[in-house]
Amino acid sequence: MENYDIVIVGGGPAGLAAAVSARKSGIDKILILERDNELGGILNQCIHNGFGLHTFKEELTGPEYAYRFMQQVFDEKIEYKLHTMVMDISDDRIVTAMNRTDGMFQIKAGAVILAMGCRERPRGALNIPGYRPAGIFSAGTAQRLVNIEGYMPGREVVILGSGDIGLIMARRMTLEGAKVKVVAELMPYSGGLKRNIVQCLDDFGIPLKLSHTVVDIEGKEHLSAVTIAEVGSDGKPIPGTEERYTCDTLLLSCGLIPENELSREMGVNMSPVTNGPIVNESLETSIPGVFACGNVLHVHDLVDFVSQEATLAGENAAAFVKNGCKDVSDEKGIEIVATEGARYTVPSTVSLDRMNDLLTVRFRVGAVYQDSYVSVYFNDTRVMHNLKKIMAPGEMEQIILQKEKLKEFEGLNKITVKIEKE
């Protein structure tokens, strides 16, 4: 059995940034395990620009952004294995994986970083009525077909769901000559970034119908039409509001789910809200020496934030290895609670002994809020009250905690994040 200081599961933007960060923190034996045939993850098929504004202070395409980190991995001579599927990780950090060159093999890791990313919610989870004809794709599958394989899924398109991939594919299909007839969204608000609604729908005259869903699919061999209808506050279609669109393609962009089968199997404590691991300020899970970052932890809207988070995970995994793999799982941290409009926070606890001078706490709201305040309470005392013109579920929010302020507050055992009108 080979030994490595740090094993990283996933060679996408999170895994690459974590590896580079760990190497710069002084760790020599690092191994990235990636199941695809190349590093870079989902960014390889995201050929649109808009990446890198925070990280590199310039606008890049997805492959360009990924290559910046891949080049650092190559320069640092960090080891990686492609076509490699991780089958199991034990609680004492023995990683079982397999590929066609090495067969089944095991690695003993000083620390493990989970960076598997996320996947799209499949049709089976959406309760869409009708047959299952050809012509129904997830938005990400269509993106790969168009941008990497060079195939057009269809010419007349309806999109269900207004997640960022769906919005971007509305523009992409239009640019390739298809007619995108409508984007229907079940919720009363869009799940994507405001800039994507403007640049991908408004600029191309593509209608966005909020509080609408697909109620019928026509065609047995191949899709021929879909019917959408408005839904009420109970989520049920309202009779008489049906609209029929002839089309040969239906793209589904109904949310992303962190890829956490491995995490669950190894016994990591999971958040019912994010479907990702519950982590502390070091991005360490409930299993000592196992860290999580990027979309496997919670779904991000900007890859720049993924890289920031992964850099922190790499530094903390390196510190764990250097400190002799000290188990701090019994150390009680200060609880961070999301309530009254805030859905969750990452991290969920913070230890003053281990936190840096500044800690970024990221969260999402559960509805659209205008002219409201992000409030932070230490125990029952309000210490932060920041006015925000607008907040929406599709855009991540954040607050910055200062170690000095936390230390000054006597008897601090709970930090609460909530949304208030005044």
Side-chain angles (χ1 to χ4, degrees), residues 80-284:
Y80 60 90
K81 287 180 183 287
L82 302 176
H83 299 288
T84 301
M85 179 69 77
V86 176
M87 312 301 293
D88 180 65
I89 306 171
S90 67
D91 54 11
D92 57 350
R93 302 184 295 281
I94 293 174
V95 180
T96 303
M98 66 183 296
N99 60 35
R100 58 193 179 198
T101 306
D102 307 308
M104 187 88 76
F105 60 96
Q106 289 189 315
I107 299 163
K108 179 73 175 90
V112 173
I113 299 177
L114 304 173
M116 294 89 76
C118 59
R119 66 174 187 269
E120 293 179 282
R121 187 171 275 114
R123 176 186 170 173
L126 300 177
N127 295 325
I128 299 172
Y131 293 101
R132 296 185 177 273
I136 302 175
F137 303 86
S138 72
T141 299
Q143 186 180 55
R144 183 174 180 88
L145 286 172
V146 174
N147 293 347
I148 293 184
E149 310 293 343
Y151 296 112
M152 271 294 281
R155 292 291 169 185
E156 291 186 299
V157 184
V158 170
I159 299 176
L160 175 62
S162 61
D164 286 313
I165 307 174
L167 299 175
I168 286 161
M169 281 311 293
R171 175 178 64 184
R172 188 78 183 97
M173 296 290 282
T174 302
L175 291 173
E176 288 297 332
K179 171 67 176 172
V180 179
K181 297 194 169 181
V182 68
V183 176
E185 169 57 59
L186 178 67
M187 305 302 287
Y189 50 79
S190 169
L193 292 169
K194 179 68 177 171
R195 75 179 190 198
N196 284 337
I197 298 170
V198 173
Q199 294 172 3
C200 301
L201 299 187
D202 297 351
D203 288 358
F204 292 89
I206 300 169
L208 171 62
K209 291 184 178 286
L210 301 174
S211 300
H212 280 71
T213 193
V214 171
V215 294
D216 190 29
I217 290 173
E218 296 177 33
K220 286 190 178 181
E221 296 300 318
H222 200 287
L223 182 69
S224 58
V226 301
T227 301
I228 68 171
E230 189 176 351
V231 297
S233 56
D234 58 359
K236 293 180 180 177
I238 300 171
T241 63
E242 295 87 356
E243 298 174 60
R244 183 177 178 273
Y245 294 88
T246 57
C247 61
D248 57 16
T249 308
L250 174 64
L251 300 187
L252 305 176
S253 177
C254 302
L256 300 168
I257 306 166
E259 190 84 74
N260 269 305
E261 282 69 27
L262 271 177
S263 316
R264 286 193 184 89
E265 282 173 19
M266 66 186 297
V268 167
N269 289 344
M270 308 295 289
S271 163
V273 180
T274 64
N275 290 313
I278 295 170
V279 295
N280 62 18
E281 76 299 318
S282 302
L283 301 178
E284 188 176 19

Side-chain angles (χ1 to χ4, degrees), residues 5 33 65 71 74 99 110-111 123 143 163-164 169 193-194 201 211 235 285 300 302 308 315 347 354 366 370 386 419:
D5 293 324
L33 300 175
Y65 185 96
Q71 194 60 55
F74 302 151
N99 60 35
R123 176 186 170 173
Q143 186 180 55
D164 286 313
M169 281 311 293
L193 292 169
K194 179 68 177 171
L201 299 187
S211 300
T285 68
H300 295 62
L302 294 178
Q308 288 174 21
E315 290 170 1
R354 295 192 304 274
Q370 292 182 312
N386 299 333
I419 310 303

Side-chain angles (χ1 to χ4, degrees), residues 271-342:
S271 163
V273 180
T274 64
N275 290 313
I278 295 170
V279 295
N280 62 18
E281 76 299 318
S282 302
L283 301 178
E284 188 176 19
T285 68
S286 56
I287 296 180
V290 178
F291 299 79
C293 58
N295 284 350
V296 81
L297 179 55
H298 59 136
V299 176
H300 295 62
D301 40 23
L302 294 178
V303 73
D304 301 77
F305 295 155
V306 167
S307 299
Q308 288 174 21
E309 199 173 81
T311 298
L312 183 63
E315 290 170 1
N316 292 326
F320 179 85
V321 171
K322 285 178 177 175
N323 293 338
C325 305
K326 184 189 169 199
D327 184 355
V328 293
S329 58
D330 292 332
E331 291 182 20
K332 181 133 176 75
I334 300 164
E335 187 183 14
I336 306 177
V337 176
T339 185
E340 294 179 35

